[in-house]
Amino acid sequence: MGRKVTLVCGKVLGPSLHARVRRPVARRLAKLGVTFLEGPGTKVAEVTRDGVRLDDGRELPSAVTIWTAGFRIPDLAARSGLRTNAEGRLVIDTTLTSVDDERIIAAGDAGVMPDHPFRLSCQAATQLGPAAAATILRRIAGKKASPVRMFFAGQCLSLGRKGGVTQFSYPNDKVNALSISGRTGAGVKEIACVFTLNKLVSGARKASSRGSHGDSTDRVVTPQPEHPTTPSNT
Ligand SMILES: Cc1cc2nc3c(=O)[nH]c(=O)nc-3n(C[C@H](O)[C@H](O)[C@H](O)COP(=O)(O)OP(=O)(O)OC[C@H]3O[C@@H](n4cnc5c(N)ncnc54)[C@H](O)[C@@H]3O)c2cc1C
């Protein structure tokens, strides 16, 4: 909107994206008039009242600084005395159970399976929640909990209302070189947002219906998306 915008990346622009998919993102940002700084020396060392200082000593004047340096885990697990990783995520096995105490289950951002460290994302969290419930229900029924099965379709980014990029991935969340950009990419992000919202609403409705309580202890909820070909959001 006519303002000068600089995006400071620290390392690379869009570190979770495939190298080829960063190109349409960079093009779109350039078209929107966003200057981005990436590579060595672009880590923020200090945010001051009037700007930002980079670790190579550069000072960037700034009227408004928006700090978007990623997500953090609350310190509950780290303070519990149970094993956590460097980010403070509870170390769990493939049934989402703490490796130190089988009474403790973690879903979403809070837990990490060391061999499958899923990204902090709602795409993972919406699958891990039902899987945690399945583990608990099977234990209550005196059955062995099953390993979680995850499915990832990709990541999508809005870059303004009229542009976006959808990055496809393999089911294990490893990104590939396939992407959709432009208006279609933005459309896919919109679909992903609506899909996620609908999924939350339908999940809440199912949980409160009588039918889901009856034989639920006999059912394994396998965390598969309803529409595997629709990329969820990032
Ligand atoms: C700005 C932003 C944008 C994002 N955009 C995307 C996106 O586009 N796509 C995507 O996939 N992901 C996105 N994420 C990440 C996504 O929101 C999280 O990965 C997801 O919400 C994790 O779900 P969760 O249930 O594990 O944790 P959360 O949704 O964080 O829920 C944890 C809850 O626990 C509560 N809590 C914490 N400590 C305690 C305590 N001691 N006692 C009681 N309650 C406690 C918190 O208040 C919170 O309500 C975004 C995150 C942020 C912050």
Side-chain angles (χ1 to χ4, degrees):
M1 299 184 74
R3 304 266 190 268
K4 200 175 155 202
V5 177
T6 303
L7 180 62
V8 180
C9 299
K11 293 178 193 155
V12 291
L13 173 71
S16 66
L17 303 173
H18 189 277
R20 266 175 59 183
V21 182
R22 284 187 201 123
R23 290 183 214 151
V25 175
R27 276 199 299 274
R28 175 73 189 155
L29 287 175
K31 205 170 168 192
L32 290 168
V34 176
T35 305
F36 58 91
L37 303 177
E38 59 177 348
T42 63
K43 228 175 164 169
V44 174
E46 192 182 359
V47 176
T48 61
R49 191 184 173 84
D50 309 311
V52 169
R53 191 167 54 76
L54 303 184
D55 63 357
D56 65 1
R58 266 181 291 172
E59 304 267 354
L60 307 175
S62 169
V64 177
T65 302
I66 302 176
W67 193 322
T68 58
F71 316 139
R72 279 184 63 189
I73 311 293
D75 64 355
L76 181 65
R79 283 189 289 112
S80 71
L82 299 166
R83 235 172 302 174
T84 53
N85 73 353
E87 290 172 288
R89 301 172 80 181
L90 188 74
V91 178
I92 51 177
D93 64 19
T94 55
T95 67
L96 313 185
T97 308
S98 160
V99 291
D100 297 316
D101 189 331
E102 66 166 15
R103 296 167 302 168
I104 312 285
I105 315 276
D109 291 353
V112 65
M113 287 173 256
D115 294 335
H116 312 276
F118 298 116
R119 273 181 300 128
L120 306 181
S121 67
C122 73
Q123 198 173 157
T126 53
Q127 299 181 65
L128 291 165
T135 289
I136 294 165
L137 292 172
R138 285 191 72 88
R139 292 246 171 85
I140 290 171
K143 294 178 181 171
K144 197 166 170 272
S146 310
V148 60
R149 282 194 290 155
M150 301 287 282
F151 177 92
F152 292 86
Q155 309 172 22
C156 39
L157 314 174
S158 284
L159 298 164
R161 293 303 296 163
K162 295 180 185 153
V165 172
T166 303
Q167 156 80 75
F168 291 98
S169 70
Y170 300 104
N172 65 359
D173 203 26
K174 188 173 169 0
V175 293
N176 56 41
L178 298 176
S179 67
I180 302 174
S181 53
R183 274 183 185 270
T184 317
V188 175
K189 171 73 183 180
E190 193 63 26
I191 291 168
C193 290
V194 173
F195 169 75
T196 305
L197 194 58
N198 287 344
K199 200 171 164 181
L200 289 173
V201 171
S202 71
R205 285 204 179 120
K206 270 187 221 150
S208 61
S209 71
R210 284 174 66 90
S212 68
H213 293 302
D215 65 347
S216 54
T217 49
D218 292 331
R219 235 176 315 139
V220 181
V221 181
T222 47
Q224 296 292 322
E226 285 158 27
H227 306 291
T229 51
T230 308
S232 181
N233 51 358
T234 58

